[in-house]
């Protein structure tokens, strides 16, 4: 396999590289070495993905050999170094190396990237993230979709009623080399179906201690998804967005939401259900906990009804043009309902407790 010396870094490349590929890898390494952002493009068919992988992993290897064994199992960060590193190095030292986050738009694109990784000589510790919809193997939860699936999973795991989730920690401890060879989501699902552990939570555990993590864009851009990625030191991470021409619209989607009339109607119905559930819970448990105070949900219901009424009163002159206001308008709109920076925390807590109540 040819080795190219670029900017002082030995880059293993599976083929004889074209001049444009050498130039591309040179620019990738320049960006990494200088800690700069880079916007790189190359004509279709010039092997951009392979260039990105080989140059980024060659740069990563200059810090020390790739992680091996023990990574992500249970508490994460337990990888033991290999090769040129001392065998007694601590997990903290192992995890101090930069982690590469490789993002693409779809899982099918990521599958192709992982296929390219298999063609190289590099074998970094890796993980790939996917959704429950793609990875859940529970007989009942796998049939659900969206929020219902997430809630069902959270509930069963919290009560330790999911046998697949219950054996993840032991499986990870007994299979410390998992992630040392390239794999994709389908491979994890096959492990789950044949061996039993949950593919979704295996991927989450693996992601805590890796050299390279593959994920769709929205896992990095959406704040909720990003918060769930525990164990990643973002200050010591390299972010690669492959096929980034859709990135702007993905960012806009992550910062936007649609609130439909049907959503509000459902919220009001569920707030009423919470009032009844709290009253019932108090009567059978004889509890006066604040968390189960029906008055909180009565206030929430009244607020939602006021919001529904206020939205209904907006005058929209043109259906084509809609009703557009500057960003600051939403704060004025909500403040008239007494939703402010001071009251929003209490409101969010009430909504979160309502979700838990309904989930139970």
């Amino acid at each position: 396999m040819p080795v190219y010396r670029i900017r002082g870094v030995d880059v293993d490349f599976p083929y004889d590289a074209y001049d444009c590929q050498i130039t591309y890898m040179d620019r990738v390494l320049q960006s990494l070495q200088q800690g700069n952002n880079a916007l790189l493009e190359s004509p279709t068919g010039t092997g951009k993905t392979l260039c990105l992988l080989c140059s980024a992993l060659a740069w990563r290897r200059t810090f020390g050999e790739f992680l091996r064994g023990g990574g992500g199992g249970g508490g994460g960060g337990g990888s033991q170094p290999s090769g040129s590193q001392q065998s007694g190095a601590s997990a903290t030292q192992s995890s101090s190396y930069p982690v590469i986050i490789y993002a693409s738009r779809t899982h099918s694109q990521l599958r192709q990237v992982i296929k390219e990784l298999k063609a190289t000589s590099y074998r970094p510790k890796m993980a790939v993230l996917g959704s429950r919809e793609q990875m859940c193997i529970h007989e009942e939860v796998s049939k659900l979709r969206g929020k219902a699936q997430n809630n069902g999973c959270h509930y069963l795991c919290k009560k330790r009623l999911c046998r697949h989730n219950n054996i993840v920690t032991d499986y990870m401890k007994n299979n410390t080399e998992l992630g040392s060879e390239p794999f994709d989501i389908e491979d994890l699902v096959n492990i789950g179906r044949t061996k039993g552990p949950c593919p979704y939570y295996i991927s989450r555990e693996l992601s805590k201690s890796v050299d390279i993590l593959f994920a769709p864009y929205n896992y990095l851009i959406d704040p909720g998804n990003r918060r769930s990625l525990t164990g990643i030191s973002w200050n010591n991470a390299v972010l690669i967005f492959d096929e980034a021409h859709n990135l702007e619209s993905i960012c806009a989607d992550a910062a936007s939401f649609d609130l439909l009339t049907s959503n509000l109607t459902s919220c009001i119905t569920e707030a009423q259900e919470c009032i009844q559930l709290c009253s019932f819970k108090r009567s059978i448990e004889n509890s006066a906990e604040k968390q189960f105070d029906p008055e909180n949900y009565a206030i929430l219901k009244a607020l939602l009804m006021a919001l529904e009424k206020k939205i209904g009163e907006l005058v929209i002159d043109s259906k084509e043009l809609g009703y557009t206001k500057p960003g600051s308008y939403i704060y004025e709109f909500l403040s008239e309902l007494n939703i402010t920076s001071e009251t929003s925390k209490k409101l969010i807590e009430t909504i979160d407790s309502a979700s838990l109540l309904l989930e139970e």
Side-chain angles (χ1 to χ4, degrees):
M1 186 170 288
V3 178
Y4 296 91
R5 184 82 172 171
I6 307 173
R7 290 185 174 269
V9 177
D10 289 332
V11 181
D12 296 351
F13 202 71
Y15 313 107
D16 291 328
Y18 304 132
D19 288 343
C20 65
Q21 292 176 324
I22 298 289
T23 303
Y24 196 92
M25 290 190 285
D26 179 90
R27 296 299 183 269
V28 173
L29 286 167
Q30 178 185 350
S31 171
L32 292 169
Q33 290 173 340
Q34 296 177 358
N36 294 331
N37 296 322
L39 178 60
L40 305 173
E41 59 181 344
S42 187
T44 301
T46 52
K48 294 188 291 293
T49 297
L50 200 56
C51 290
L52 276 168
L53 283 172
C54 290
S55 53
L57 289 170
W59 171 81
R60 157 61 187 85
R61 200 167 56 182
T62 62
F63 292 86
E65 289 299 315
F66 297 130
L67 305 180
R68 280 290 181 272
S79 299
Q80 292 300 317
S82 63
S84 63
Q85 297 174 58
Q86 296 178 1
S87 60
S90 69
T92 305
Q93 288 173 313
S94 297
S95 62
S96 67
Y97 299 140
V99 59
I100 298 166
I101 316 291
Y102 196 109
S104 196
R105 188 168 62 90
T106 65
H107 281 102
S108 60
Q109 288 173 335
L110 286 176
R111 191 183 305 121
Q112 186 60 38
V113 175
I114 293 167
K115 185 179 177 182
E116 297 273 21
L117 177 62
K118 290 178 181 179
T120 74
S121 64
Y122 296 101
R123 289 298 178 264
K125 187 83 172 181
M126 65 151 287
V128 57
L129 296 178
S131 64
R132 286 182 176 84
E133 192 168 318
Q134 294 167 310
M135 302 175 87
C136 179
I137 57 172
H138 189 275
E139 295 81 357
E140 296 176 16
V141 178
S142 60
K143 297 174 185 175
L144 303 174
R145 290 294 176 266
K147 189 71 176 174
Q149 188 175 56
N150 292 343
N151 288 342
C153 175
H154 287 149
Y155 178 78
L156 291 179
C157 291
K158 187 168 66 176
K159 301 289 186 182
R160 295 195 59 78
L161 296 174
C162 177
R163 63 184 179 87
H164 303 292
N165 176 256
N166 292 344
I167 63 173
V168 166
T169 300
D170 286 340
Y171 183 83
M172 298 295 289
K173 285 178 181 176
N174 296 326
N175 295 271
T176 56
E177 286 302 308
L178 185 62
S180 297
E181 289 292 326
F183 65 89
D184 59 26
I185 287 174
E186 286 73 17
D187 296 323
L188 277 185
V189 171
N190 287 336
I191 288 173
R193 295 197 188 284
T194 56
K195 308 290 186 183
C198 171
Y200 178 81
Y201 282 106
I202 285 179
S203 70
R204 292 289 163 151
E205 286 298 311
L206 274 176
S207 71
K208 294 175 182 178
S209 182
V210 289
D211 298 303
I212 186 167
L213 175 64
F214 297 96
Y217 290 161
N218 60 305
Y219 277 73
L220 307 182
I221 295 166
D222 184 271
N225 285 331
R226 191 168 61 248
R227 278 194 297 270
S228 70
L229 298 179
T230 58
I232 294 176
S233 174
W234 295 103
N235 292 329
N236 195 29
V238 175
L239 304 185
I240 297 176
F241 291 95
D242 196 5
E243 301 290 341
H245 43 268
N246 294 300
L247 200 54
E248 188 175 2
S249 61
I250 300 282
C251 290
D253 289 344
S256 309
F257 66 92
D258 295 323
L259 181 60
L260 306 177
T261 306
S262 57
N263 294 146
L264 271 178
T265 303
S266 297
C267 286
I268 292 166
T269 302
E270 289 184 349
Q272 177 59 38
E273 191 177 340
C274 284
I275 296 170
Q276 294 167 346
L277 283 170
C278 274
S279 300
F280 178 71
K281 204 172 181 73
R282 281 193 158 192
S283 65
I284 62 170
E285 296 179 4
N286 195 24
S287 171
E289 283 187 53
K290 279 189 174 182
Q291 186 181 357
F292 302 122
D293 187 350
E295 190 173 333
N296 287 339
Y297 304 111
I299 294 170
L300 177 61
K301 179 186 174 185
L303 179 61
L304 290 168
M305 291 176 70
L307 176 60
E308 184 181 49
K309 182 172 182 289
K310 190 166 178 59
I311 292 174
E313 290 172 350
L314 293 175
V315 179
I316 302 174
D317 296 324
S318 167
K319 286 187 177 180
E320 289 75 23
L321 296 175
Y323 186 78
T324 305
K325 290 284 187 179
S328 57
Y329 169 76
I330 192 66
Y331 296 107
E332 300 166 12
F333 181 89
L334 293 174
S335 66
E336 292 177 18
L337 296 166
N338 196 31
I339 301 174
T340 64
S341 56
E342 288 78 24
T343 63
S344 60
K345 184 179 178 183
K346 174 64 178 174
L347 174 60
I348 292 168
E349 286 174 357
T350 304
I351 291 171
D352 285 343
S353 65
S355 297
L356 288 172
L357 189 64
L358 292 167
E359 189 179 304
E360 288 182 10

